[in-house]
Amino acid sequence: MTKKIFLTFGLMLSLAYCASAQQQYKTEYDAAGNKVLVGRINEKLLANDSAFLWFFTGVNRYKPDTAWTKYISYYRDSFDVVAFAGTWCLDTKRLLPQFYRVMMASSYPMNRIKLYGLDHQLHGLGDAAQQYDIDKVPTIVLIHKGKVIGKIEDKVHRSMEADMVSILQQTFAKEEPSETTQQ
């Protein structure tokens, strides 16, 4: 009987853990009626929610430069990405779809992108925003061997892909792929 109680208790704990692990984000609405996702999210969640039509439309509309995406593709296994977005933010609505389109064109594994939704105060559910010192959205953090090698924060200087290549060139300058054309 005691064994049965322990098994039942263990099963309940496992189910509770799984349920809490699945809840990685929460949904809020701001005063303007924007749907605000806070916590760990992903591109599928954005693309499949009619409240974020801007994401689906933006990804399909953006045409990245193929020379730059070829460069990013060459190094795609050498860096990780952590991105922070405000689903309420105009800059996020413009730049996050561009970022995802660049990553898709570069054949970057989407499951390796960690995307966090932040509220208007730039808070998430965990401490990731504080860990990466986020004070603007969107912010795209590029990481190599556990170290931040650069950030794109709330605007691009040339284009999403050109700015990413600029960051990668600073880290991988000694390993330039000979077939990549620089502009």
Side-chain angles (χ1 to χ4, degrees):
M1 189 68 153
T2 313
K3 192 174 188 180
K4 198 174 195 180
I5 292 172
F6 281 121
L7 285 174
T8 304
F9 183 68
L11 180 62
M12 288 173 41
L13 282 177
S14 316
L15 291 173
Y17 175 76
C18 289
S20 67
Q22 290 174 353
Q23 179 58 26
Q24 297 181 2
Y25 69 93
K26 66 179 179 177
T27 303
E28 302 173 347
Y29 290 88
D30 64 13
N34 293 303
K35 190 173 187 178
V36 179
L37 299 181
V38 179
R40 180 80 185 267
I41 58 176
N42 61 49
E43 80 284 356
K44 291 176 188 144
L45 180 65
L46 296 173
N48 292 316
D49 189 329
S50 61
F52 308 117
L53 187 58
W54 54 265
F55 183 79
F56 181 81
T57 303
V59 167
N60 288 309
R61 186 175 296 152
Y62 190 66
K63 305 291 183 226
D65 181 282
T66 54
W68 294 129
T69 58
K70 187 175 181 180
Y71 186 97
I72 295 165
S73 180
Y74 183 85
Y75 291 108
R76 72 178 174 251
D77 296 326
S78 301
F79 69 96
D80 294 306
V81 180
V82 180
F84 297 87
T87 56
W88 45 269
C89 170
L90 291 176
D91 291 327
T92 293
K93 291 177 181 183
R94 183 173 47 84
L95 294 175
L96 191 66
Q98 291 179 15
F99 163 73
Y100 270 96
R101 181 62 176 183
V102 167
M103 300 311 275
M104 289 165 48
S106 302
S107 300
Y108 190 88
M110 295 294 113
N111 63 345
R112 285 193 25 226
I113 298 172
K114 292 181 182 171
L115 175 60
Y116 295 93
L118 303 180
D119 64 18
H120 285 275
Q121 291 74 40
L122 305 181
H123 297 126
L125 291 183
D127 65 348
Q130 293 79 19
Q131 178 183 350
Y132 291 100
D133 196 27
I134 302 304
D135 59 4
K136 298 173 184 168
V137 287
T139 295
I140 297 155
V141 183
L142 302 180
I143 301 164
H144 175 62
K145 295 183 179 177
K147 180 182 175 197
V148 173
I149 58 173
K151 291 181 181 181
I152 298 172
E153 298 178 298
D154 88 330
K155 64 182 181 231
V156 293
H157 297 287
R158 294 173 64 191
S159 68
M160 179 60 69
E161 60 274 21
D163 287 7
M164 289 181 69
V165 166
S166 178
I167 292 168
L168 295 174
Q169 284 177 330
Q170 293 172 20
T171 302
F172 302 112
K174 297 174 187 164
E175 305 170 32
E176 289 280 328
S178 58
E179 71 273 5
T180 300
T181 305
Q182 297 183 18
Q183 297 179 355

